[in-house]
Amino acid sequence: MSVEQQLTQIKKAIDKARDMRYRAEAKLEELENQKSRLLAELKELGVKPEELDQEIQRLEKEIDLSLKETWELIPKELIENE
């Protein structure tokens, strides 16, 4: 392989690495913006990030309880037994 061909391959590799870096930087910026939006939304909802798992569990329990209460209000004869 000639020196010229080697230089061409090196230039292509550098261009590819530069392109990958730009994409990574853009993705990082996008993810940082998404994180900021999510943190703002959590703040708006009154939930601290470190309490998120607990809040999810609380909401799941609330949903389960509401479903149970709803099923209890439906007359038994209207519920199909399968």
Side-chain angles (χ1 to χ4, degrees), residues 2 16 19 24 36 48 51-53 55 80:
S2 72
K16 184 176 180 179
D19 183 53
S36 295
K48 295 178 183 174
E51 297 172 350
L52 193 54
D53 287 336
E55 182 65 13
E80 290 184 28

Side-chain angles (χ1 to χ4, degrees), residues 35-50:
K35 178 183 175 182
S36 295
R37 286 191 309 269
L38 289 171
L39 289 174
E41 189 175 336
L42 285 174
K43 185 176 181 180
E44 189 177 303
L45 294 170
V47 178
K48 295 178 183 174
E50 60 273 9

Side-chain angles (χ1 to χ4, degrees), residues 4-82:
E4 188 175 299
Q5 290 173 327
Q6 290 179 28
L7 290 173
T8 300
Q9 285 186 332
I10 290 171
K11 183 183 180 314
K12 285 181 182 179
I14 290 172
D15 289 343
K16 184 176 180 179
R18 185 179 298 126
D19 183 53
M20 290 173 66
R21 185 180 116 214
Y22 290 147
R23 288 183 199 193
E25 288 173 347
K27 184 66 174 177
L28 177 62
E29 184 177 345
E30 177 186 332
L31 290 171
E32 287 172 344
N33 289 336
Q34 184 179 9
K35 178 183 175 182
S36 295
R37 286 191 309 269
L38 289 171
L39 289 174
E41 189 175 336
L42 285 174
K43 185 176 181 180
E44 189 177 303
L45 294 170
V47 178
K48 295 178 183 174
E50 60 273 9
E51 297 172 350
L52 193 54
D53 287 336
Q54 294 167 328
E55 182 65 13
I56 290 171
Q57 289 175 356
R58 184 189 70 76
L59 291 170
E60 285 175 342
K61 287 178 184 176
E62 188 177 314
I63 290 169
D64 288 342
L65 180 62
S66 294
L67 283 172
K68 182 180 177 185
E69 290 173 352
T70 302
W71 277 110
E72 289 174 359
L73 293 173
I74 298 174
K76 302 296 180 222
E77 59 271 3
L78 296 179
I79 300 173
E80 290 184 28
N81 292 326
E82 292 185 20

